[in-house]
Amino acid sequence: MLLTTANRDVQAPEADQACIWPNPLFGTHSNDWQAFQRRLLAVCAARGFLLEILGHTDHEPIYALTRRARRKTARSILVASGFHGEEPAGPWGLLHALETLDMTLLDAVHLSALPLVNVSGFSQGRRLNHKGENPNRGFLPLLDGAPASEEGAILLRHQARLVRYGRDGALCCHEDAARQRAYIYANERGDAPSPLALKLRNCNAGFFPLHADGAIDGCLLADGIVFNHPDSSFEAWLFAHGATHTYCTETPGQCAFEDRLLANAAMVSTFIEHHIS
Ligand code: NI
């Protein structure tokens, strides 16, 4: 399927096409769930994250990580990734950040993470889960009628804790498989993008050119930001349940995998740094 955008013609993967890249930074491929899980368990043990299993889909766990700040009054923020299986630089980037972030930064926030929501999609390098459902829709069914996926139903069962984890902000690391240019979604209470929205966009723009203004997937994009677009995504759901602000970052899936991984790690770091107190 060839999509025409204001920027250039871009190639969207077919629905049944697996999107898998070499992942030299981790010595494997982008869909290696076993290697991802090993490194995740190791970083939790090494850096003091509490690891919990929220539920299982297709016999594999959905993990939640939490780590308490030194100060009780620190902010509570949530980073989530791996909703879509053809967007693997999000989970690997988040894992890279968890492994490499300065401990003083980690000590200054109550940090929670959902590192890989859609394991079956990730393992296959395909967008949807093993049942063909979209794990990032159906959180606000009144909005678009979309049903919750198997993963979404598990997250919804843990609503109280996830809302608490992301009370002071949430970052969801996505990719746009069809594009060569970057952008972000921001859900905020103000009338215009905040300094944090601009920081995240600028961080993404440090790795890739920004997508041109105009329509993108039915949303209005201006200066690299889709601002307050209502949908039934996880990030919109957390925002509707009181999170101060929530973001969905999009790295371009047509660019080099390692750049995308490092861009995701940098945006996670930027997001955490903004919330230290
Ligand atoms: Ni996505």
Side-chain angles (χ1 to χ4, degrees), residues 60-129:
E60 299 293 349
I62 298 179
Y63 288 119
L65 279 57
T66 53
R67 192 178 187 284
R68 302 290 295 170
R70 281 187 186 277
R71 288 175 46 209
K72 203 175 170 187
T73 54
R75 296 199 178 111
S76 295
I77 57 172
L78 174 65
V79 182
S81 65
F83 285 84
H84 295 136
E86 94 286 33
E87 305 174 8
W92 289 108
L94 171 55
L95 178 56
H96 185 60
L98 296 175
E99 288 183 347
T100 56
L101 280 173
D102 197 299
M103 290 299 279
T104 57
L105 201 59
L106 294 182
D107 284 341
V109 287
H110 300 305
L111 177 62
S112 300
L114 303 175
L116 181 40
V117 171
N118 174 11
V119 176
S120 60
F122 178 89
S123 299
Q124 297 288 315
R126 294 194 168 95
R127 179 173 183 79
L128 305 177
N129 70 5

Side-chain angles (χ1 to χ4, degrees), residues 83-84 86-87 127 136 174-176 248 250:
F83 285 84
H84 295 136
E86 94 286 33
E87 305 174 8
R127 179 173 183 79
N136 200 33
H174 282 253
E175 300 202 89
D176 189 328
C248 164
E250 300 276 358

Side-chain angles (χ1 to χ4, degrees), residues 52-57 61-64 78-83 113-118 134-139 148-165 172 174 232-235 237-238 241:
E52 297 168 278
I53 294 175
L54 299 184
H56 290 82
T57 61
I62 298 179
Y63 288 119
L78 174 65
V79 182
S81 65
F83 285 84
L114 303 175
L116 181 40
V117 171
N118 174 11
N134 182 344
N136 200 33
R137 282 295 179 273
F139 290 94
S149 65
E150 197 175 347
E151 293 79 9
I154 290 170
L155 299 186
L156 285 164
R157 279 208 297 277
H158 293 277
Q159 172 171 324
R161 95 158 74 182
L162 293 175
V163 167
R164 192 170 70 245
Y165 289 167
C172 299
H174 282 253
S232 69
S233 64
F234 179 73
E235 56 273 15
W237 173 75
L238 281 177
H241 283 83

Side-chain angles (χ1 to χ4, degrees), residues 1-233:
M1 174 174 47
L2 196 64
L3 301 178
T4 303
T5 72
N7 292 304
R8 64 182 67 191
D9 289 337
V10 294
Q11 192 74 36
E14 299 292 340
D16 60 350
Q17 182 187 334
C19 298
I20 296 165
W21 292 269
N23 182 5
L25 195 62
F26 285 88
T28 183
H29 283 79
S30 62
N31 68 327
D32 188 344
W33 156 239
Q34 296 302 334
F36 184 88
Q37 188 171 218
R38 273 196 306 277
R39 291 285 284 254
L40 188 68
L41 299 179
V43 76
C44 286
R47 310 198 92 185
F49 284 92
L50 177 69
L51 187 74
E52 297 168 278
I53 294 175
L54 299 184
H56 290 82
T57 61
D58 200 25
H59 311 292
E60 299 293 349
I62 298 179
Y63 288 119
L65 279 57
T66 53
R67 192 178 187 284
R68 302 290 295 170
R70 281 187 186 277
R71 288 175 46 209
K72 203 175 170 187
T73 54
R75 296 199 178 111
S76 295
I77 57 172
L78 174 65
V79 182
S81 65
F83 285 84
H84 295 136
E86 94 286 33
E87 305 174 8
W92 289 108
L94 171 55
L95 178 56
H96 185 60
L98 296 175
E99 288 183 347
T100 56
L101 280 173
D102 197 299
M103 290 299 279
T104 57
L105 201 59
L106 294 182
D107 284 341
V109 287
H110 300 305
L111 177 62
S112 300
L114 303 175
L116 181 40
V117 171
N118 174 11
V119 176
S120 60
F122 178 89
S123 299
Q124 297 288 315
R126 294 194 168 95
R127 179 173 183 79
L128 305 177
N129 70 5
H130 67 116
K131 291 181 166 175
E133 300 164 331
N134 182 344
N136 200 33
R137 282 295 179 273
F139 290 94
L140 294 166
L142 292 179
L143 209 60
D144 58 11
S149 65
E150 197 175 347
E151 293 79 9
I154 290 170
L155 299 186
L156 285 164
R157 279 208 297 277
H158 293 277
Q159 172 171 324
R161 95 158 74 182
L162 293 175
V163 167
R164 192 170 70 245
Y165 289 167
R167 187 187 61 204
D168 297 315
L171 176 72
C172 299
C173 305
H174 282 253
E175 300 202 89
D176 189 328
R179 301 190 195 275
Q180 299 178 334
R181 290 165 189 255
Y183 58 100
I184 70 166
Y185 294 82
N187 298 303
E188 297 183 332
R189 310 282 168 201
D191 296 330
S194 71
L196 175 55
L198 302 183
K199 269 194 238 177
L200 290 168
R201 178 205 60 191
N202 293 347
C203 184
N204 213 354
F207 291 83
F208 313 104
L210 286 177
H211 199 285
D213 287 359
I216 192 159
D217 296 337
C219 308
L220 183 64
L221 181 72
D223 296 327
I225 301 175
V226 176
F227 189 66
N228 285 348
H229 172 75
D231 58 28
S232 69
S233 64

